[in-house]
Amino acid sequence: MSNQNNTNRRGFLQKLGLTVGAAALIDTEVLADVNPNKYSNVEDREAFLTRYEKWVDQYIDVVEEEKKNKENIANKKRIMELSEEANGWQEQIKEYIKHDDFKSKYIEVSKRFANSITPELEA
């Protein structure tokens, strides 16, 4: 994949605020600011991952529809709704990402999500 495609994909994901988990893996200052107890419950992390994976599946569906039919207004509305749904997740992801059980699954699901995004969706 070209560097330009990676840049566009990263920009699109950043608009959704979903790269915060990946950023937290790299940025130790972000990790230093994390409260390790706020979201440290295994059940909470698993519930979030289940919700996130379901969200990713739905988002991939609307992205595929957008690629096929850019005139589908209902689909565009659904993309906006799903984006809104993800708005409050950044803080949870920042905290959850510290836990290996969460981190590996989150990255796996996020890669699947990222692979569905293509630069033409930026237009």
Side-chain angles (χ1 to χ4, degrees), residues 101-119:
D101 62 305
F102 178 86
K103 182 168 56 180
S104 58
K105 181 67 172 175
Y106 174 78
I107 291 170
E108 173 193 320
V109 175
S110 295
K111 281 181 183 174
R112 193 160 46 88
F113 173 73
N115 288 336
S116 73
I117 305 303
T118 56

Side-chain angles (χ1 to χ4, degrees), residues 34-111:
V34 166
N35 171 355
N37 299 313
K38 188 174 178 188
Y39 294 113
S40 62
N41 182 298
V42 170
E43 289 80 13
D44 289 346
R45 291 193 302 272
E46 287 176 358
F48 181 89
L49 281 169
T50 298
R51 179 178 173 202
Y52 178 59
E53 190 162 19
K54 197 177 292 185
W55 181 91
V56 165
D57 289 341
Q58 291 174 29
Y59 206 96
I60 288 171
D61 287 346
V62 295
V63 164
E64 291 305 316
E65 174 60 25
E66 177 72 8
K67 288 176 188 176
K68 288 185 255 174
N69 180 7
K70 293 189 184 302
E71 307 304 313
N72 185 335
I73 301 301
N75 194 63
K76 288 182 186 301
K77 184 175 183 230
R78 184 67 182 134
I79 289 173
M80 301 271 293
E81 289 169 355
L82 286 167
S83 297
E84 282 293 313
E85 188 179 324
N87 267 348
W89 293 350
Q90 292 91 331
E91 290 305 310
Q92 283 176 289
I93 292 168
K94 273 190 211 175
E95 304 232 10
Y96 289 159
I97 204 81
K98 290 181 67 177
H99 300 272
D100 289 340
D101 62 305
F102 178 86
K103 182 168 56 180
S104 58
K105 181 67 172 175
Y106 174 78
I107 291 170
E108 173 193 320
V109 175
S110 295
K111 281 181 183 174

